[in-house]
Amino acid sequence: MLRTFAYVRPGSVSEALKQLEERGSRIHAGGTDLLGCLRDGVFEATKVVSLAKIDELRGLTVAPDGELRIGALTSIAELAAHPAVAEKFAALAQAASVVASPQLRNQGTIGGNLCQRPRCWYFRGDYPCTRKGGEMCYAVGGENQYHCIFGGGACVIVHPSDTAPALIALDAKVRILGPKGARVIPLEQFFVLPEKDATRETVLEPGEILAGVLVPPAPAGQASGYRKVRARGSWDFAMAGLAHAITIKAGKVAAARLVLSGVAPVPWRLQAVEKLLVGQKLDAKLVARAADAAVAGAKPLAHNGYKVPLVRGVVEDVLGAVPAA
Amino acid sequence: MKDDALYFWNGPLPETQAPANAPAPEPWAETKVVGKPVTRIDAYDRVSGSAVYPSDVILPDMLHAAVLSCPHAHAMVKKVDVAAALKMPGVRAILKDGDVGTNIPWFSGRGGFSSRLFDAHCRYEGDEVAVVAADTIYQAWDAVRAIKVDYEVLPQVTAVADAMKPGAPAVRDGGNVIPPGQPYARGDVEAGFKAADVVLEHTFTTPCELQNPMELHGCVAKWDGPRLTLWESTQGVYGVQTGVARALNIPLANIRVIGHYMGGGFGAKLSHGKYSVMAALLAKKTARPVRLFLSREQVCLSMGNRPANTITLKAGVKKDGTLVALQSKTVGSGGAYSDGGTGGVDYVIRELYACPNVRCENQNVYIHAGPERPFRAPGHPQGAWALEIMLDALAAKLGMDPIALRLKNVTLVSQTRNGNPKYTSTGFADCLKNGAQTFGWTEARARKPLPSHIRRGVGVAGGMWQGGGGSPPATAIVKLFADGSANLNMGASDIGCGTKTWGAQIVAEELGVPMDRISVEHADTGTTQFATPSGGSKTVPTESPAIRSAAFDVKQQLLGMAAEQLKLPAADLELRGAEVVSKTDATKKVALGQIQAFSRRGLLVGIGYRVPNPPGTAVNPFGAQFAEVEVNTKTGEIKVLRFLAAHDSGRILNEKMFRNQVFGGVTMGIGFGLTEDRVMDDGQLGKLLTVNLHDYKMPTALDAPADKTIVIVDPHDHAFSNTGAKGVGEPATIPTAPAIANAVFHATGLLLTDAPMSPARVLRALEARQQAAAGQKRGK
Amino acid sequence: MDHEDRDKPAAAGGVSRRGFITSVGSGAIGVAAAGALVKGEPGQAPAETVKAGDVGTITLTVNGRRHKLLVEARWSLLHVLRDHLGLTGTKVGCERGECGACTVLIDGKARYACMTLAVEADGHEITTVEGLMNGEELGTTQQAFADEDAFQCGYCTPGQVMAAEGLLRANAAPNLDQIRQGMAGNICRCGTYAHIFKAVAKAADLKRQGR
């Protein structure tokens, strides 16, 4: 059962930011990750700052030019069901629909999904690991079947979010509010590799809050999707997943953004593969080359070598199904 | 070895003698109620949320308790400082090693080993150190966290292979490798292998599985003077009564255990737990009722598991498919406290198929992990995994259809029991044949694979369960009230199998009382008859004949009274609805309410005892299961498209509940074959990594195939009991995983030997095959 | 003392006092003891505050009935429903959102009560399995589960029923695939899924027939 904490429910972002200045304050959006982390003792909360009353963080709107504006408190279920998302931003709708379970999708928010802590069982367990400020990473020499094959360093987690790779494939930006005001950055730059800082997953500074996500209008002819491979049909995080946003013009790839989940401490953009595809006809030979390129440079750990053929397989599976014209 | 005995009952089974020359009912022919898909009599209670499970019991002044578990795989507790914890808000009592009344022996084992309720020597992460009772559950856990424990952390070992190495940290005195008993042997396996045309050997591995029933383990304890009442989530109230009475050294008469509803057990709740005793001690100390339920994490750590096994199986077969030799070597661990680890694994290898030369060796090992508890068909899914996959490997080598190979080796006698008794019935061959027909086996096997990386295949596996034939003891009482309504009183717990309902159906069938005029009392040591715990697929075959006998006893008494009143022989009379009528002259009859002797008595009581099965017979349930799968050979994903389960469990008492239970067993088998795996931090801290229900992966609605069929094979076995009903709980989960593995083999040609068949394992196997092929090419 | 603050205009500082009693003078039960409750003022702590270890007042509408309760901020809705309101139909399975046994409806949507702080449920409508009953009669979804034998040990059943109810309120005619997706947040260790799918389909039929 949870340890005690104070609770406050501010009515505005500025009030919330003020509350978050206090050390040990934690944001409660949907609460699905917060409560799990508190139960496992990943971190402590002396005060829980609920965002429930902050209407400015809500809302899912489509601007006249087609830009999708998603308030951070938009629930995952809403994203999965919204007709505008399904129609133009299929990758996001598909990713949202495979997050967790129906009940958690009703409760969880897009902000929370992007800011969630990793699922590494050492991080979540009673282990003083590097990410929690400790001395060592227990996964490197331990049970690392679910850990990363790219981007690892002092820590070898995989980023658990499904919506993040989908949004990066869709070239999304995030709006961050803080004591110094607002800033908008590409979502791709929101996440932090262990080599830079192994104790956090995002660039959010203390006292900052993720306020919303902006997805640019979908280019004409863009096809997008999200494929997730996991052990069970529900609840589980990705063993590996692929978000794609590909535009075909005149039988050739005009634009491609490909982002892997479940393989790196951050959503893993496959820029080398994208370069390979652009300007080419997406035939079986190209797909095979793309699959090879996707795993180039992979550094598997003792127990997760299967992720190399898995990524290859997912890339082939997904690219092989993209309509050629 | 005593396969027939209840494997979870210590000591000799009590024998129950039936009265000599007692008339026995004839086998049922057509039945009106038994066998029908009657709605469960407690459906209302369960779907309305009004059923009170032990964890729902709320008593005035009740305290809430929480257990402090050792966080280390191996440690000595040097000091437990509860001073700060005792002062915390709401805390009423804390118990730890050394406190009055806590010096209670617990696990006992080889060489006179004994541990205690709070043992300073903690041998796995989860071993209990202290327990707190407080006004609220939050306060209890706050106090648990405030207890300061000095642990001396010791070297640990959690991987079986490591534990077997010389120099491994010792889990117990005398080393980690338990001296094996005599291997099982019949015939001459070496001669058998020499005579074989094809010999194959494979090593199979199966996962350690956690039962994880939905309701957590625990109880509510309340004292009234010297008398203790326990509401416990248990499969057997009498087992809890015995265990707690012994632990607390109080008379059985002073403990009442109530277990009316319980949220699942699967073998993990066949006996009491430390929580039962702790709750009682806390309740005594505080003079208040205490509710103590473990957390899910604690259940994962310490409330039982199916040991992981490594099985090396060698099989020899003749060209025509006749099995000539089977040899198995099994290794496994029951954790730190159990002397087992391989129990039941070789049963199907010894028994299921006719084979003259068999040898089975078992090696048990200690590791610093939680103790095994029997888990639905202990040993059998593991043995079936090895045996049934091996059979398909042999079939492939022989160019023989897998079903034909199995049918070739069906046996009508038990090969391991003394005297090789005949089965009173074996529907195994029919399960294979009828199942195959309904499944469309031949067409599906012959289907040409499409040019795609997504491959489809079908597979079959057989199974049988060592129990499921029933035995004494069981006592049932049926009361017929003056208005013709009835009451059934029996000790058996309903662990989800609809026990109360089929019990009532038997009374309804025998006495003609409508279902809605039958009440059932059960699972209460204070008010109901004796029963051993519900588990091992024993409840139907054990209780159903006793219930029928009790109802029959009532009927005989009623007919006797009516005979006197009507001045007709009792043999001429029969019970029809609410009347007793002459079979030869329908005008001669009397309504129940008009039978004077009955009215004067007020109530008729019938007693039924379970008598032993006929000597020199074997009674077992059998099954065969069929799977169609789709394998994505790029990603390793296996999808079960459809599934068919064909079962011989004798007479089916309620078709709706039977189908539900079979589907349930199949779902559990899917967990074994595809998703479940206890992972420990071997080689580092030895802690449990799959310590919650996300990391320990049980099948969800999306993992159970949408298309499931059941084929019932009823051999109309009247030979062994007056109901002819065998058990099904265990058989339903034994062949599932190998059926899926064999379907994957058919689809891809990959013989997967390691369960669960995660995408990782499939991909590794695909890669290994690719490299082997490349290596062969290069070799040329 | 049952009146609702829900429609009061927002106090100064842009903070609504919706459903959360803040002032001692309101006469709410037990507020006198809760020194932690602070009235909202610009530049100060917002109105809705509960100090660590202290209690605050919330209003929960459960099965149509309003309850004013004193709760600690850390208490889960599950704990409050079971141990304070005596509604034990909702079950404890894992307390971490991984099994579904505690599924309730919050404003008509299926949610895990264990993952919901009671303070977060303040002001919302909660439906538990008890709330689907019609007096002593089973509600439609419950009846369907009984008819289709969609339970074994019955422990996950209230959660399954509530998940089904939530699904059917959002989609009155789900196909088998949608049913499986909708029920994918509820573990049944007894493996009753096949019958549960049938029960949900039957409940959809019964509801369409107005039963």
Side-chain angles (χ1 to χ4, degrees):
Chain A
M1 311 308 290
L2 299 184
R3 295 162 177 78
T4 192
F5 46 75
Y7 174 85
V8 63
R9 202 191 296 150
S12 69
V13 172
S14 52
E15 272 191 67
L17 294 178
K18 201 172 286 142
Q19 289 294 328
L20 288 168
E21 281 168 19
E22 196 179 307
R23 221 176 115 77
S25 298
R26 305 284 170 183
I27 292 171
H28 184 299
T32 54
D33 197 39
L34 173 69
L35 264 58
C37 285
L38 291 179
R39 184 177 174 92
D40 285 335
V42 173
F43 50 72
E44 287 185 357
T46 50
K47 177 168 65 178
V48 166
V49 180
S50 167
L51 305 182
K53 291 199 107 65
I54 307 179
D55 292 335
E56 103 177 61
L57 295 176
R58 294 187 192 285
L60 206 189
T61 54
V62 184
D65 67 351
E67 179 189 52
L68 191 62
R69 296 183 187 150
I70 313 171
L73 291 182
T74 306
S75 77
I76 303 298
E78 215 186 315
L79 281 175
H82 200 287
V85 178
E87 197 198 325
K88 295 269 192 222
F89 305 99
L92 179 58
Q94 288 172 18
S97 70
V98 294
V99 170
S101 73
Q103 290 91 324
L104 291 173
R105 294 196 285 274
N106 282 334
Q107 180 173 350
T109 65
I110 183 64
N113 195 271
L114 296 176
C115 296
Q116 67 180 297
R117 307 308 306 274
R119 308 305 305 200
C120 166
W121 43 32
Y122 296 105
F123 176 75
R124 296 261 166 178
D126 180 21
Y127 284 80
C129 79
T130 302
R131 187 159 291 270
K132 287 182 284 192
E135 300 284 297
M136 76 181 258
C137 166
Y138 291 85
V140 164
E143 299 294 322
N144 49 41
Q145 44 268 54
Y146 296 123
H147 292 72
C148 70
I149 56 172
F150 297 112
C155 168
V156 292
I157 56 151
V158 294
H159 197 276
S161 171
D162 297 308
T163 60
L167 285 168
I168 293 174
L170 297 171
D171 202 9
K173 295 190 180 50
V174 285
R175 189 160 162 269
I176 298 167
L177 295 175
K180 300 190 198 123
R183 59 188 177 117
V184 175
I185 60 171
L187 181 59
E188 209 177 339
Q189 293 172 17
F190 183 66
F191 299 104
V192 176
L193 276 169
E195 67 197 15
K196 181 126 182 272
D197 184 344
T199 64
R200 58 176 169 152
E201 298 83 53
T202 75
V203 298
L204 286 177
E205 295 293 336
E208 280 191 319
I209 207 173
L210 175 59
V213 179
L214 302 158
V215 189
Q222 174 178 274
S224 71
Y226 179 68
R227 167 89 152 87
K228 182 174 183 180
V229 176
R230 51 182 169 174
R232 292 184 298 173
S234 185
W235 261 296
D236 287 5
F237 293 83
M239 282 173 138
L242 177 64
H244 76 274
I246 295 180
T247 311
I248 307 271
K249 279 203 177 90
K252 295 216 168 91
V253 176
R257 289 174 70 93
L258 301 166
V259 188
L260 289 170
S261 61
V263 299
V266 303
W268 195 250
R269 179 113 178 261
L270 292 171
Q271 271 170 333
V273 180
E274 293 168 4
K275 280 198 183 69
L276 207 58
L277 297 180
V278 167
Q280 305 297 324
K281 188 159 161 264
L282 194 56
D283 59 17
K285 221 192 309 169
L286 185 63
V287 168
R289 286 175 59 209
D292 282 340
V295 297
K299 290 196 175 67
L301 304 164
H303 302 292
N304 69 2
Y306 72 90
K307 288 201 182 196
V308 174
L310 177 57
V311 168
R312 204 187 246 120
V314 171
V315 169
E316 283 184 13
D317 230 11
V318 170
L319 293 184
V322 170
Chain B
M1 80 193 75
K2 282 205 91 196
D3 291 321
D4 291 353
L6 293 169
Y7 50 86
F8 47 81
W9 186 261
N10 290 318
L13 277 179
E15 287 287 329
T16 312
Q17 298 306 321
N21 304 320
E26 290 296 307
W28 283 314
E30 276 297 306
T31 52
K32 293 202 185 71
V33 186
V34 163
K36 303 292 179 248
V38 173
T39 297
R40 293 191 205 212
I41 62 177
D42 56 11
Y44 178 97
D45 303 338
R46 296 190 202 262
V47 303
S48 64
S50 61
V52 178
Y53 289 76
S55 49
D56 298 329
V57 170
I58 297 177
L59 298 172
D61 277 350
M62 186 173 77
L63 297 175
H64 301 257
V67 174
L68 169 61
S69 309
C70 176
H72 304 289
H74 189 200
M76 291 297 296
V77 173
K78 296 310 225 186
K79 185 160 163 242
V80 183
D81 180 357
V82 300
L86 276 171
K87 295 202 195 81
M88 292 181 68
V91 174
R92 303 290 168 174
I94 301 182
L95 289 172
K96 59 181 177 15
D97 186 23
D99 289 347
V100 170
T102 64
N103 190 13
I104 296 169
W106 207 263
F107 296 105
S108 63
R110 184 169 74 88
F113 173 82
S114 177
S115 73
R116 292 174 305 125
L117 184 69
F118 298 114
D119 199 323
H121 191 167
C122 295
R123 295 177 178 83
Y124 73 99
E125 184 200 11
D127 233 337
E128 297 81 357
V129 176
V131 66
V132 176
D135 290 343
T136 75
I137 189 63
Y138 284 87
Q139 290 167 332
W141 279 102
D142 285 343
V144 163
R145 285 188 286 258
I147 298 175
K148 301 194 208 8
V149 185
D150 290 345
Y151 295 102
E152 181 193 348
V153 181
L154 300 169
Q156 46 77 22
V157 62
T158 54
V160 170
D162 291 340
M164 294 173 78
K165 293 189 184 126
V171 180
R172 297 262 285 269
D173 295 339
N176 300 334
V177 177
I178 303 172
Q182 276 290 90
Y184 172 84
R186 67 173 182 256
D188 179 348
V189 282
E190 290 313 318
F193 286 128
K194 279 206 185 72
D197 294 317
V198 171
V199 175
L200 290 179
E201 186 175 43
H202 288 291
T203 297
F204 301 85
T205 65
T206 60
C208 176
E209 284 192 300
L210 306 174
Q211 289 89 334
N212 268 323
M214 289 311 295
E215 185 181 28
L216 303 163
H217 285 64
C219 67
V220 174
K222 177 180 192 293
W223 292 91
D224 290 293
R227 279 186 282 281
L228 172 68
T229 305
L230 284 176
W231 290 263
E232 178 148 329
S233 187
T234 179
Q235 297 176 242
V237 292
Y238 283 93
V240 172
Q241 182 196 37
T242 306
V244 175
R246 190 178 298 139
L248 297 178
N249 197 23
I250 61 178
L252 289 170
N254 282 0
I255 296 189
R256 179 178 178 187
V257 182
I258 301 172
H260 297 153
Y261 289 98
M262 60 87 72
F266 313 107
K269 294 178 182 168
L270 284 168
S271 55
H272 67 300
K274 287 187 175 180
Y275 48 81
S276 323
V277 173
M278 287 179 192
L281 291 173
L282 285 168
K284 183 129 245 176
K285 187 163 182 178
T286 59
R288 290 168 64 166
V290 170
R291 173 201 281 178
L292 171 47
F293 277 82
L294 300 181
S295 70
R296 179 57 65 182
E297 291 87 345
Q298 287 170 328
V299 170
C300 289
L301 281 167
S302 56
M303 284 296 113
N305 57 75
R306 181 195 303 283
N309 288 119
T310 303
I311 307 160
T312 300
L313 181 63
K314 188 170 171 187
V317 73
K318 287 264 209 233
K319 257 198 301 268
D320 69 352
T322 310
L323 276 170
V324 286
L326 286 169
Q327 179 176 278
S328 73
K329 289 194 169 91
T330 305
V331 181
S333 171
Y337 289 106
S338 157
D339 293 340
T342 57
V345 175
D346 59 23
Y347 187 87
V348 289
I349 295 169
R350 292 184 274 119
E351 278 285 38
L352 183 54
Y353 299 102
C355 184
N357 308 299
V358 177
R359 183 183 165 85
C360 301
E361 289 176 28
N362 297 309
Q363 180 62 70
N364 297 334
V365 179
Y366 297 121
I367 58 173
H368 287 113
E372 66 170 340
R373 283 186 169 202
F375 188 166
R376 198 168 188 171
H380 286 51
Q382 300 97 298
W385 175 258
L387 178 66
E388 294 296 317
I389 294 175
M390 175 60 87
L391 282 177
D392 267 37
L394 291 170
K397 263 284 185 320
L398 295 170
M400 203 170 165
D401 174 80
I403 294 195
L405 176 60
R406 288 168 170 83
L407 286 172
K408 184 94 185 137
N409 295 288
V410 167
T411 166
L412 301 180
V413 304
S414 163
Q415 299 171 88
T416 311
R417 292 175 176 86
N418 280 338
N420 300 127
K422 259 192 87 170
Y423 293 114
T424 56
S425 60
T426 162
F428 188 41
D430 286 338
C431 288
L432 287 163
K433 286 189 281 206
N434 300 0
Q437 179 153 35
T438 307
F439 190 71
W441 171 260
T442 311
E443 310 78 67
R445 282 298 281 198
R447 210 168 37 211
K448 291 271 170 283
L450 297 166
S452 161
H453 63 278
I454 300 193
R455 314 293 294 228
R456 279 203 181 182
V458 296
V460 66
M464 71 181 293
W465 166 235
Q466 73 180 55
S471 69
T475 309
I477 289 189
V478 171
K479 293 193 292 223
L480 189 69
F481 296 102
D483 67 350
S485 64
N487 168 275
L488 166 62
N489 181 299
M490 60 176 178
S493 293
D494 184 338
I495 62 175
C497 310
T499 308
K500 293 180 286 186
T501 303
W502 54 252
Q505 284 176 266
I506 291 169
V507 175
E509 187 71 44
E510 204 59 39
L511 295 178
V513 179
M515 287 289 289
D516 63 0
R517 289 172 66 86
I518 302 173
S519 62
V520 179
E521 292 164 321
H522 77 124
D524 184 335
T525 64
T527 63
T528 65
Q529 307 314 307
F530 181 84
T532 51
S534 289
S537 307
K538 62 162 271 285
T539 311
V540 158
T542 295
E543 301 286 329
S544 66
I547 295 168
R548 188 174 181 208
S549 294
F552 186 73
D553 182 8
V554 167
K555 185 153 72 176
Q556 299 309 101
Q557 292 176 55
L558 200 59
L559 296 180
M561 288 171 177
E564 246 193 70
Q565 187 162 318
L566 292 173
K567 312 254 183 284
L568 291 171
D572 180 47
L573 298 174
E574 67 181 9
L575 184 57
R576 272 189 225 163
E579 294 179 319
V580 177
V581 187
S582 160
K583 291 184 216 171
T584 47
D585 182 356
T587 64
K588 301 209 164 80
K589 58 181 177 173
V590 59
L592 286 192
Q594 302 300 316
I595 302 176
Q596 286 154 19
F598 181 24
S599 304
R600 279 199 303 273
R601 187 81 68 85
L603 178 70
L604 285 184
V605 179
I607 305 181
Y609 300 98
R610 179 55 155 96
V611 300
N613 290 342
T617 62
V619 185
N620 291 80
F622 296 84
Q625 296 185 350
F626 299 75
E628 178 163 6
V629 304
E630 193 179 80
V631 182
N632 184 326
T633 56
K634 287 200 193 297
T635 62
E637 291 161 295
I638 297 172
K639 214 190 293 187
V640 181
L641 298 174
R642 68 187 176 107
F643 205 90
L644 184 147
H647 283 276
D648 158 24
S649 285
R651 174 187 297 278
I652 308 304
L653 298 177
N654 181 314
E655 201 190 312
K656 219 167 20 179
M657 299 185 334
F658 179 80
R659 296 166 62 84
N660 201 353
Q661 220 196 128
V662 174
F663 289 143
V666 167
T667 303
M668 201 165 247
I670 285 172
F672 179 95
L674 293 177
T675 63
E676 292 183 46
D677 195 2
R678 179 189 79 171
V679 180
M680 305 199 64
D681 185 29
D682 297 334
Q684 292 191 130
L685 299 188
K687 289 165 72 72
L688 179 63
L689 297 176
T690 54
V691 70
N692 54 57
L693 296 185
H694 169 264
D695 292 320
Y696 184 77
K697 302 182 184 298
M698 304 195 293
T700 69
L702 289 172
D703 300 300
D707 182 347
K708 289 209 281 271
T709 313
I710 292 190
V711 167
I712 293 174
V713 171
D714 183 353
H716 301 290
D717 187 341
H718 305 303
F720 74 98
S721 82
N722 67 35
T723 58
K726 306 188 227 178
V728 76
E730 257 103 348
T733 204
I734 292 168
T736 310
I740 298 172
N742 287 338
V744 171
F745 182 41
H746 180 233
T748 63
L750 287 174
L751 195 79
L752 296 178
T753 54
D754 303 319
M757 296 176 286
S758 60
R761 287 211 166 102
V762 176
L763 287 169
R764 282 188 205 123
L766 283 164
E767 213 169 35
R769 180 168 68 180
Q770 232 177 352
Q771 282 170 3
Q776 280 186 336
K777 262 203 213 140
R778 281 198 300 274
K780 285 189 180 139
Chain C
M1 180 70 222
D2 256 299
H3 79 272
E4 261 280 86
D5 283 356
R6 199 185 289 236
D7 301 321
K8 287 224 175 111
V15 176
S16 158
R17 287 182 290 151
R18 179 167 159 297
F20 205 99
I21 309 295
T22 58
S23 67
V24 175
S26 73
I29 302 153
V31 168
L37 298 168
V38 172
K39 196 167 169 154
E41 295 248 316
Q44 286 193 358
E48 285 77 44
T49 298
V50 185
K51 281 208 179 120
D54 215 323
V55 288
T57 308
I58 62 170
T59 302
L60 296 180
T61 304
V62 182
N63 301 329
R65 178 165 297 196
R66 235 179 352 244
H67 300 269
K68 259 193 200 113
L69 302 159
L70 284 174
V71 300
E72 288 186 33
R74 60 173 170 164
W75 289 356
S76 67
L77 175 62
L78 179 63
H79 170 71
V80 169
L81 288 172
R82 286 174 54 83
D83 291 341
H84 293 267
L85 295 178
L87 293 166
T88 56
T90 311
K91 306 300 184 197
V92 176
C94 69
E95 309 230 53
R96 41 188 310 140
E98 295 169 350
C99 77
C102 68
T103 303
V104 296
L105 299 185
I106 300 185
D107 298 334
K109 292 198 167 46
R111 287 273 303 258
Y112 299 139
C114 72
M115 294 297 275
T116 306
L117 296 175
V119 287
E120 279 285 307
D122 180 27
H124 291 273
E125 305 240 348
I126 294 138
T127 313
T128 70
V129 68
E130 292 91 345
L132 295 188
M133 301 286 287
N134 295 319
E136 293 278 293
E137 299 294 311
L138 295 178
T140 311
T141 305
Q142 291 161 310
Q143 188 62 57
F145 269 70
D147 293 344
E148 295 297 326
D149 201 50
F151 56 89
Q152 290 181 50
C153 80
Y155 195 75
C156 77
T157 306
Q160 302 275 1
V161 166
M162 297 315 292
E165 182 71 20
L167 167 65
L168 292 175
R169 288 187 191 191
N171 179 355
N175 60 32
L176 177 58
D177 193 54
Q178 289 165 330
I179 290 174
R180 293 174 73 217
Q181 295 281 342
M183 302 307 290
N186 292 75
I187 302 257
C188 175
R189 192 44 161 163
C190 299
T192 307
Y193 298 119
H195 285 204
I196 290 173
F197 302 154
K198 277 213 180 113
V200 180
K202 173 136 198 204
D205 276 344
L206 291 174
K207 281 180 186 255
R208 265 200 301 278
Q209 293 167 35
R211 284 157 62 187

